[in-house]
Amino acid sequence: YPQKSGMITIPAIRFEAIMTTRGNSGGSWPFFSQRGKPIYKQSNPIKINILPKPAHYKGKDWLPAENIQVITEHSDLSNINIGDSITITDKIIAKGLSGSVLSDIPFEKHKGLKIYPDQAKVDNQERQGVLYGLREQKTALIPTRAGHYQLPSRELIWWNIKTDKMEKKIIPGLSFNVLPPENETISAPIET
């Protein structure tokens, strides 16, 4: 993974071996024979021009990829009581980018909510010679007050290397009510 822009050269790879023929060693294992014909093969060096990050890129992390998908799932948002845990799962799939460079899509602090991100699961898969980076982040939201909660949308900014443009993935906000204890009523929405 390139760490800076500019021209880099991947050096040639050299392969050396001894090609043996039957009967060279006098035994049934010609692999241990010292005799044989030495062979050498060498690849060509590869030169690659690493482009710099565009100055107008506004993302928190530099994410150059062919495509990025974000799938968000959450637990049931009905009949939530104070202290219940709401689990939000964000799955990020990046085509052409390692999962190790993907970061979470954090929630803003919200009055009346405790936010606990879990340890993310990061993986890489290869399909038909293309690298896919995967990141799965679970976050527990625990309300500490009754009321109506309106969480803002979140976004992931990335660079589309096919179109050479900055793109955004918008994760819609969440809206839910937290029920008061039986003897109380909800008086006002919870402020952010």
Side-chain angles (χ1 to χ4, degrees), residues 51-71:
L51 300 174
K53 177 171 73 170
H56 62 280
Y57 180 76
K58 300 206 181 338
K60 178 181 88 167
D61 299 311
W62 175 233
L63 300 175
E66 288 185 49
N67 189 21
I68 290 186
Q69 295 177 4
V70 179
I71 302 164

Side-chain angles (χ1 to χ4, degrees), residues 82-168:
I82 295 172
D84 286 351
S85 178
I86 302 165
T87 302
I88 312 294
T89 304
D90 292 320
K91 295 176 187 174
I92 306 170
I93 304 164
K95 182 178 181 183
L97 192 62
S98 172
S100 63
V101 298
L102 299 171
S103 59
D104 65 335
I105 308 167
F107 288 88
E108 291 180 15
K109 288 184 179 181
H110 197 285
K111 197 173 193 177
L113 270 184
K114 291 188 178 183
I115 301 171
Y116 299 101
D118 199 0
Q119 178 84 24
K121 293 179 186 174
V122 177
D123 193 15
N124 291 315
Q125 295 179 1
E126 188 178 324
R127 292 183 225 145
Q128 299 177 343
V130 177
L131 175 69
Y132 287 85
L134 310 167
R135 180 184 178 91
E136 182 178 301
Q137 175 73 55
K138 290 182 186 265
T139 304
L141 307 178
I142 300 177
T144 59
R145 295 169 49 184
H148 178 75
Y149 288 78
Q150 182 68 48
L151 303 185
S153 61
R154 298 173 293 144
E155 65 182 23
L156 175 70
I157 298 175
W158 64 286
W159 189 262
N160 187 324
I161 62 172
K162 290 205 172 241
T163 62
D164 205 28
K165 291 182 181 173
M166 186 173 69
E167 293 195 19
K168 286 183 190 179

Side-chain angles (χ1 to χ4, degrees), residues 18-22 24 30-37:
I18 296 177
M19 185 167 40
T20 61
T21 58
R22 288 188 186 264
N24 280 358
F31 308 110
F32 300 113
S33 169
Q34 295 298 319
R35 291 184 239 143
K37 178 182 175 185

